[in-house]
Amino acid sequence: MAPEPFSSPAQYLADRKALIDEVLNRFLPPCDTYPPIIYEAVRYSLFAGGKRIRPILCLAAAEATGKTAGGDLSAILQAACALEMIHTYSLIHDDLPALDNDDYRRGIPTSHKRFGEDIAILAGDALLTEAFKLLSDPGLSSSAKPEIRLEVINIIARAAGIGGMISGQVMDMKAEALKPEPNLVYFIHQKKTAELIQASVHTGAILAGAPAEELLALLKYGGKIGLCFQIADDILNAAGDEALLGKAAGSDLARGKATFPAVFGLEESRRIAETLVREAIESLGAFDCQAEPLRGIASFILTRKS
Amino acid sequence: MAPEPFSSPAQYLADRKALIDEVLNRFLPPCDTYPPIIYEAVRYSLFAGGKRIRPILCLAAAEATGKTAGGDLSAILQAACALEMIHTYSLIHDDLPALDNDDYRRGIPTSHKRFGEDIAILAGDALLTEAFKLLSDPGLSSSAKPEIRLEVINIIARAAGIGGMISGQVMDMKAEALKPEPNLVYFIHQKKTAELIQASVHTGAILAGAPAEELLALLKYGGKIGLCFQIADDILNAAGDEALLGKAAGSDLARGKATFPAVFGLEESRRIAETLVREAIESLGAFDCQAEPLRGIASFILTRKS
């Protein structure tokens, strides 16, 4: 279970993605569990080729503390997988006809196109619930104390809940009828994306037992790259390569979505994203080479093509 | 916070419902929280006049153990409210056009008729997530140990998750195209309804510290009345008074739903339900008068008109 040490950002991301995929696969019942259609639907979206940024950030934040070397990663991997389940649920529901009405994601039909709207809604509900089942599972050998596990559940539920991701989604929908303005787009990106990414870093840090000062630095890092991640997504949607994206480029603009390019223009959006990455890396100043993966991920967010 | 002692089932249900409503109201942010539409939608469905059977069962199971008298009910009320949030989320999603496509529930427009499908989907997601946020809230003075709170989260997530309520919902949808058969209708009712009702009794019992033998008896009670509750619902749908139901009667039959009346006929369904109630009450044989509320609720399930 001990993952490879850090060599390069690309290698680190590939290695940790393989680890997350393996653990996710182990946590989920097989496709022939009754009734098979819902297990198929859950696995279809969960294994559709996601980059696993949130779970990898959870692992990388834990590794940055230097307290996980040779230790039991089970509680951290558990939280990491739960974060990916919640992210996947949010994509399935976001793609529904009543929301963004997207036919493709990552180059393949969205859940409702493949399984029907009823199953897509229930598959999202299932992934959200499974995340909390996993986080509270008594059967998994968990190295974390019950009070820390409760704290992790609360951090993730707050980030994903009505005061977090949900209100971001609500305003993302409602903003289509509004003039895109800086306050609005910052609110949406903060809530819709940044808070769950920050929660990923947060949970990794507290599960590894990060001391208060390191935790604060990691939270700052997480907030910056969380926001940057969504701005980079906006930039890719506005100016990216459709073949690499696996979905239509320019769709945000066509829908009148509140995005950074719509509010600030492409060039200024890139400048804001670069500043956020620089500040994120600066906030890790007190960490040694064990924070290299976090630094590499921050740079990757800006240079990724899909 | 100390609730009234037991006098009659009707009085007990009314009193505990008032208590649950008060605590739910306290746990939820006000309607003018930004963005208001999602807080309105969540409150609209949560305060639409539900009977609060699940949270009341959680309280009544705790009271049956005799360990709560004069004690701190905060952890039990927290779990009780979380159960109602999960039940309400399931109703909002179940009513959606892609699922049961219901325009009315409890005599008022369903969430998607009132707020639109996008907000209804997100309001359901929000309630499900808020339930787990509430169960893990560190700010609430909770009388339960962290390991018991984790166990409560796991019990509820299992009952509501892919191996529980979700698979019941899936087969409830898919059964419309299948011949109603005993095994199928038992599976659907067990998963869709009985497991969350049993989990309500289960969480109340373990939060009150029920010893193993009492816990087993309470679980047996919970399983029986959980199944009975859905059969009684079927019977009401088939033969109930629309004005009292707040929705169209006979709709299950028109849709080809797998219900007990469709499989066994009305008379035999009533007989099965009566047997379940009798067995549920019998399973409480070792409890004294503190289990009177549980006995009263079992009888109420069969005699209710809405």
Side-chain angles (χ1 to χ4, degrees):
Chain A
M1 173 86 60
E4 294 291 313
F6 183 75
S7 54
S8 75
Q11 184 54 47
Y12 182 86
L13 287 167
D15 175 67
R16 293 304 181 275
K17 176 174 155 51
L19 178 62
I20 298 292
D21 285 354
E22 180 206 315
V23 181
L24 270 176
N25 185 43
R26 189 144 36 87
F27 284 151
L28 283 173
C31 271
D32 58 0
T33 313
Y34 185 83
I37 191 168
I38 189 73
Y39 291 90
E40 277 169 35
V42 159
R43 284 182 165 267
Y44 176 84
S45 293
L46 206 47
F47 295 103
K51 294 178 288 294
R52 314 300 193 204
I53 289 294
R54 290 156 192 80
I56 293 173
L57 279 169
C58 178
L59 281 171
E63 292 176 44
T65 66
K67 294 178 184 296
T68 58
D72 178 7
L73 289 180
S74 65
I76 296 160
L77 282 167
Q78 214 175 337
C81 289
L83 287 158
E84 188 66 13
M85 289 178 183
I86 289 179
H87 172 57
T88 305
Y89 122 74
S90 77
L91 298 182
I92 296 174
H93 282 190
D94 201 28
D95 287 337
L96 287 167
L99 286 104
D100 277 355
N101 194 22
D102 276 310
D103 291 351
Y104 288 91
R105 175 166 301 268
R106 295 166 181 159
I108 60 169
T110 45
S111 182
H112 63 275
K113 292 303 281 186
R114 173 77 173 72
F115 297 98
E117 257 185 87
D118 52 351
I119 294 298
I121 292 167
L122 293 169
D125 294 345
L127 279 165
L128 176 55
T129 315
E130 288 311 288
F132 292 107
K133 191 175 97 185
L134 182 56
L135 290 167
S136 58
D137 193 313
L140 295 168
S141 80
S142 178
S143 49
K145 285 187 195 156
E147 47 270 42
I148 301 289
R149 296 181 71 187
L150 271 180
E151 193 182 345
V152 165
I153 292 171
N154 199 253
I155 289 166
I156 294 175
R158 267 187 289 136
I162 195 168
M165 191 167 69
I166 299 282
S167 56
Q169 293 274 36
V170 167
M171 289 316 297
D172 189 51
M173 299 307 305
K174 296 306 167 196
E176 293 180 16
L178 301 172
K179 187 175 173 296
E181 285 190 311
N183 278 349
L184 180 62
V185 74
Y186 268 105
F187 176 88
I188 292 170
H189 285 34
Q190 181 65 31
K191 294 293 177 184
K192 189 181 159 185
T193 309
E195 292 195 5
L196 191 63
I197 288 183
Q198 191 180 38
S200 306
V201 173
H202 193 173
T203 53
I206 65 166
L207 284 167
E213 210 161 308
E214 289 189 10
L215 180 59
L216 277 176
L218 288 167
L219 283 174
K220 193 172 172 193
Y221 165 90
K224 301 273 182 196
I225 60 151
L227 187 54
C228 181
F229 192 84
Q230 186 58 49
I231 299 173
D233 227 47
D234 289 354
I235 294 171
L236 278 173
N237 186 287
D241 181 326
E242 292 194 8
L244 292 174
L245 287 175
K247 62 182 177 185
S251 56
D252 287 346
L253 188 65
R255 279 177 191 151
K257 285 268 184 205
T259 66
F260 269 65
V263 174
F264 298 103
L266 259 179
E267 204 175 325
E268 176 67 3
S269 299
R270 284 203 184 96
R271 207 196 51 76
I272 296 170
E274 281 161 15
T275 305
L276 286 166
V277 166
R278 199 184 58 243
E279 290 173 350
I281 293 173
E282 279 168 9
S283 72
L284 302 176
F287 288 83
D288 62 12
C289 65
Q290 282 163 316
E292 271 313 296
L294 289 180
R295 296 187 186 100
I297 294 167
S299 303
F300 162 79
I301 286 171
L302 217 56
T303 54
R304 71 195 171 98
K305 301 283 179 234
S306 68
Chain B
M1 172 90 58
E4 294 290 312
F6 183 75
S7 54
S8 75
Q11 183 55 45
Y12 182 86
L13 288 167
D15 174 67
R16 293 303 182 275
K17 173 172 157 51
L19 178 63
I20 298 291
D21 284 354
E22 179 206 316
V23 181
L24 270 176
N25 185 44
R26 191 145 33 88
F27 284 152
L28 282 174
C31 271
D32 58 359
T33 312
Y34 184 85
I37 192 170
I38 190 72
Y39 292 90
E40 277 169 37
V42 159
R43 283 181 167 268
Y44 176 83
S45 294
L46 207 46
F47 295 103
K51 294 177 287 295
R52 312 302 191 204
I53 289 294
R54 290 154 193 80
I56 293 172
L57 279 169
C58 178
L59 281 170
E63 291 175 44
T65 66
K67 293 177 184 296
T68 59
D72 178 7
L73 289 180
S74 64
I76 297 159
L77 282 168
Q78 215 175 336
C81 288
L83 287 158
E84 188 66 13
M85 289 178 184
I86 289 179
H87 172 58
T88 305
Y89 122 75
S90 77
L91 298 183
I92 295 175
H93 282 191
D94 201 28
D95 286 338
L96 286 167
L99 286 104
D100 276 354
N101 193 23
D102 275 312
D103 292 350
Y104 288 90
R105 167 156 320 256
R106 293 167 182 157
I108 60 169
T110 46
S111 182
H112 64 275
K113 292 304 277 184
R114 172 76 173 72
F115 296 98
E117 255 185 271
D118 53 351
I119 295 298
I121 292 167
L122 293 169
D125 294 345
L127 279 165
L128 176 55
T129 316
E130 288 310 288
F132 291 107
K133 192 175 97 185
L134 181 58
L135 290 168
S136 59
D137 194 312
L140 295 168
S141 79
S142 177
S143 48
K145 285 188 195 157
E147 48 269 41
I148 301 290
R149 295 181 71 188
L150 271 180
E151 192 181 346
V152 165
I153 292 171
N154 200 253
I155 289 166
I156 293 176
R158 267 189 287 134
I162 196 168
M165 192 167 67
I166 299 281
S167 57
Q169 292 274 35
V170 167
M171 290 316 298
D172 189 51
M173 298 307 306
K174 297 306 169 195
E176 293 179 16
L178 302 173
K179 187 175 174 297
E181 287 189 311
N183 278 349
L184 181 64
V185 74
Y186 267 105
F187 177 89
I188 293 171
H189 285 35
Q190 181 65 30
K191 294 293 177 183
K192 190 181 158 186
T193 308
E195 292 195 6
L196 191 63
I197 288 183
Q198 190 180 39
S200 306
V201 173
H202 192 173
T203 54
I206 65 167
L207 284 166
E213 209 162 309
E214 288 190 9
L215 181 59
L216 277 176
L218 288 168
L219 283 174
K220 191 172 173 193
Y221 165 89
K224 302 273 182 196
I225 60 152
L227 187 56
C228 180
F229 192 83
Q230 187 58 50
I231 300 173
D233 227 45
D234 289 355
I235 294 171
L236 277 173
N237 187 289
D241 181 326
E242 291 194 10
L244 291 174
L245 288 175
K247 61 182 178 185
S251 55
D252 287 346
L253 188 65
R255 281 177 190 149
K257 286 266 182 207
T259 66
F260 269 66
V263 174
F264 299 102
L266 260 178
E267 202 174 330
E268 176 67 3
S269 298
R270 285 205 184 94
R271 206 196 52 76
I272 296 170
E274 281 161 15
T275 304
L276 285 166
V277 166
R278 197 184 59 243
E279 289 172 350
I281 293 173
E282 280 168 7
S283 71
L284 302 176
F287 287 82
D288 63 12
C289 66
Q290 282 162 316
E292 272 312 297
L294 289 180
R295 297 185 185 103
I297 294 167
S299 302
F300 162 80
I301 286 171
L302 217 56
T303 54
R304 72 194 169 99
K305 300 283 179 236
S306 70

